[in-house]
Amino acid sequence: VGTEARAFSNLGHAGLTFWAPNVNIFRDPRWGRGQETQGEDPTVNAAYAANFPHGVQDGDSYPKFLKASSCCKHYAAYNLEDWGGVDRHHFDAIVTDQDLNETYFPPFQACAQVGKASGVMCSYNAVNGVPSCASKPLLNDRLRGTWGFDGYVTSDCGAVADVYSKHKYTNTTDATDVDVLTAGMDSDCGTFLGQNLQACIDDGTCDASVVNPPLTNLFKVQLRLGMFDSAASQPYTKLGMESVSTPAHQALALEAAQQGIVLLKNDGATLPLPKASPPTLAVLGPTANATDVMQGNYYGNAPFVVSVVAGLQKYTKSVAYVSGCADVKCADDSGFDGAVMTAKAAEAVVLVVGLNQGQESEGHDRTDLALPGKQAELIEQVAAAAKDPITLVILSGGPVDVSAAKANAKVGAIVWAGYPGQSGGDAL
């Protein structure tokens, strides 16, 4: 990822600071951005946070030069988008010291101390009454002072304006500028500082003691990225398209998809499907032939995306595909008859269900764990019609309730595949 990031930057398609990884704790399974994270376990998230920045940043000239800058986000206690009448721009996370230290802080501490990330993003929400981007205890005291973070802190996009207009933590634009910059935030992803900082400097409120520390933090990272050195003095400026989508990188994408797939149920001999004499196969479901869905959110332009149908067509040529539902919402059962008839005629059935970005995404939480619309009914009808127990595949970032399918003897196998990316169909 770091190599391709720098190559894209060299070719004029990207910057050099990449706002990843998201290491927030997936505490509520309905959270719309849980798909971006490593789950609810602080230890797992911390291990990821310790390794991801090194992978992006390290190279032949590390630590003098960064290949690209990695930014851990969203600090801190951020795991709500819009739920129960409260949105992330107004949310005040009330968290005990014990829960902060045992649950929410470990990934960011690992990011700073082990991963040596050069960036951290402060979050939209407040923590115990103080907006994250205006919290000196969170930023300068703990992140920089206690954990030794040496990099820049950016706001999430619009979070500085939230300090003033949503949290109403400050009463004036000058006070907002001073609070965020002296708390330890360096860069505003938004328009607030751009619109108000010059006036704060002109009236003398934002003097050198306010603006110089964040400028220093920002320039230090720019220096480490080689922005003030000759191209000939560093190896990363030479990276180009020959370093993008290489056979090795494509193989890694496939391996990641394979390792990410989880077998939840396998009764009898449902899986693996026989290789010696591949069966006639019905591939059904609203996401069976989807491609965008398989990439989750915040994806780049993949060179190809192999759907479940396309992947299974490489396994056996005798594949019949019917969606059964018009889309993931599965609002009605008008397509069920075709799916049921196709299931009856096949020797084996793979039914693909799950979620997409209309169900879970940034800015959008779910209210329950049920499969959307009539997907559960589709599972029941297809399973009843099939000759033998079917294989159920789930494409989703967050958990879904498949307890009825688990208890159904005609559902022989259940496979969770997440959002498996460009080689998802091949992996399955």
Side-chain angles (χ1 to χ4, degrees):
V1 171
T3 297
E4 293 203 1
R6 171 60 82 141
F8 266 87
S9 178
N10 291 342
L11 294 165
H13 299 303
L16 285 170
T17 51
F18 292 86
W19 289 348
N22 183 340
V23 293
N24 290 126
I25 301 299
F26 196 1
R27 172 158 275 184
D28 190 312
R30 298 166 295 182
W31 181 35
R33 297 189 75 174
Q35 60 184 298
E36 300 176 29
T37 76
Q38 291 60 249
E40 75 277 15
D41 186 343
T43 302
V44 173
N45 276 265
Y48 193 85
N51 284 277
F52 190 108
H54 279 302
V56 171
Q57 296 181 160
D58 296 9
D60 297 339
S61 298
Y62 181 85
K64 179 181 179 182
F65 289 125
L66 300 173
K67 185 185 295 183
S69 174
S70 173
C71 175
C72 294
K73 62 184 189 181
H74 312 80
Y75 182 62
Y78 170 63
N79 52 11
L80 176 142
E81 299 302 300
D82 189 356
W83 195 91
V86 180
D87 66 47
R88 57 186 176 167
H89 302 285
H90 295 84
F91 183 54
D92 183 12
I94 306 301
V95 194
T96 65
D97 285 345
Q98 179 177 351
D99 207 11
L100 282 171
N101 282 284
E102 292 183 353
T103 307
Y104 295 104
F105 283 164
F108 291 96
Q109 182 175 359
C111 227
Q113 294 184 328
V114 186
K116 303 295 184 184
S118 52
V120 166
M121 178 184 288
C122 51
S123 54
Y124 288 117
N125 60 283
V127 179
N128 297 327
V130 183
S132 297
C133 293
S135 176
K136 183 175 180 290
L138 279 181
L139 301 177
N140 274 342
D141 294 349
R142 182 175 293 271
L143 180 63
R144 287 197 168 97
T146 305
W147 297 339
F149 172 70
D150 184 20
Y152 79 99
V153 173
T154 183
S155 77
D156 206 339
C157 299
V160 178
D162 288 351
V163 172
Y164 176 68
S165 61
K166 303 296 176 60
H167 294 292
K168 300 190 183 302
Y169 183 73
T170 51
N171 296 321
T172 67
T173 57
D174 273 11
T176 307
D177 294 343
V178 171
D179 274 17
V180 296
L181 293 176
T182 58
M185 191 206 79
D186 307 308
S187 172
D188 173 14
C189 176
T191 60
F192 193 91
L193 290 186
Q195 292 172 347
N196 299 294
L197 183 55
Q198 187 62 56
C200 187
I201 293 171
D202 292 343
D203 67 29
T205 304
C206 292
D207 59 16
S209 68
V210 174
V211 299
N212 281 356
L215 285 172
T216 300
N217 292 327
L218 291 166
F219 276 115
K220 282 166 65 176
V221 175
Q222 291 182 343
L223 284 163
R224 296 183 68 197
L225 287 165
M227 293 174 68
F228 304 101
D229 291 84
S230 67
S233 68
Q234 46 182 312
Y236 311 133
T237 55
K238 301 176 180 65
L239 296 172
M241 274 306 296
E242 73 285 347
S243 300
V244 175
S245 192
T246 65
H249 294 178
Q250 292 187 17
L252 184 60
L254 173 60
E255 181 186 350
Q258 290 168 330
Q259 291 195 25
I261 293 170
V262 182
L263 182 64
L264 300 174
K265 177 184 179 181
N266 191 26
D267 288 353
T270 305
L271 294 178
L273 297 174
K275 288 184 177 180
S277 55
T280 57
L281 194 60
V283 183
L284 314 172
T287 54
N289 201 34
T291 52
D292 285 354
V293 169
M294 300 181 74
Q295 299 173 90
N297 67 346
Y298 289 112
Y299 57 84
N301 294 320
F304 55 82
V305 183
V306 182
S307 69
V308 178
V309 171
L312 291 174
Q313 283 173 336
K314 298 177 183 179
Y315 186 81
T316 173
K317 298 301 181 185
S318 302
V319 172
Y321 160 67
V322 175
S323 67
C325 297
D327 51 36
V328 170
K329 293 179 182 178
C330 203
D332 59 65
D333 59 4
S334 59
F336 282 19
D337 287 348
V340 166
M341 290 177 59
T342 305
K344 284 181 179 178
E347 295 173 305
V349 175
V350 174
L351 175 58
V352 189
V353 299
L355 308 175
N356 65 7
Q357 297 307 300
Q359 305 295 320
E360 55 175 353
S361 61
E362 180 173 358
H364 179 64
D365 295 322
R366 290 181 288 156
T367 56
D368 56 53
L369 300 181
L371 285 166
K374 296 182 177 292
Q375 285 192 33
E377 295 174 35
L378 178 65
I379 296 171
E380 186 177 353
Q381 290 191 30
V382 166
K387 295 184 178 72
D388 294 314
I390 69 169
T391 296
L392 181 67
V393 174
I394 303 160
L395 299 182
S396 71
V400 291
D401 181 4
V402 290
S403 53
K406 179 184 177 184
N408 188 338
K410 287 297 298 290
V411 178
I414 303 176
V415 175
W416 183 82
Y419 292 131
Q422 67 183 41
S423 295
D426 288 336
L428 281 159

